[in-house]
Amino acid sequence: MNVEIVNVANRAAVIAVIANNKDKMKTAKYFSAIWCGPCKTFKPIIKELITEGHPIEIIDIDANENLARELNIRSVPTTVIFSDDVEVERFVGAKKKEFIELKLGE
C-alpha cells in the first residue's frame, strides 16, 4: 500500500484526511461482549478511534454469534484487521491506541 505523508495542523484536519482516504484504508472489526472485563477497558479506545474517523466496526459476539463463528473468534476482545475485505491480521486482548493506529496504517 502506498502511503502519502500529509502534515496536518489539528484534530479536525486529521479527521478530514482520514475521511478523504477511507477507500485506501484498512478496516477493522472489534469483537467484544458485555460481560467481558478487558472489553470494558478497551472499548473506549476503540470508540475514540471511531470518532477520529477510523473505519472500525464494534461487534457483540453474543448478538452476532454467526459472524463470530464464521471468523473463528475464540476470545474477546479480538480485533480483526482487513485490507480489501481480506483478513491481514488479528490480535486478542486490549491494546494501546497507538498500537491500533499503527496496525490500521501499515
Side-chain angles (χ1 to χ4, degrees), residues 57-91:
E57 182 180 358
I58 298 174
I59 300 167
D60 182 291
I61 62 165
D62 294 322
N64 296 282
E65 292 178 15
N66 289 339
L67 180 58
R69 190 175 312 112
E70 180 182 321
L71 291 176
N72 201 29
I73 304 301
R74 301 282 182 217
S75 300
V76 287
T78 294
T79 306
V80 183
I81 302 198
F82 296 87
S83 180
D84 295 323
D85 295 326
V86 175
E87 181 179 335
V88 293
E89 187 167 1
R90 74 170 51 206
F91 49 89

Side-chain angles (χ1 to χ4, degrees), residues 4-46:
E4 178 183 347
I5 298 176
V6 178
N7 291 319
V8 291
N10 58 46
R11 185 174 185 272
V14 170
I15 291 170
V17 168
I18 291 170
N20 291 332
N21 290 286
K22 279 193 176 188
D23 60 326
K24 302 172 193 166
M25 295 177 65
K26 291 180 182 174
T27 60
K29 293 188 186 309
Y30 166 69
F31 291 89
S32 68
I34 295 171
W35 45 263
C36 167
C39 297
K40 293 175 185 173
T41 307
F42 192 37
K43 195 170 193 177
I45 294 169
I46 294 295

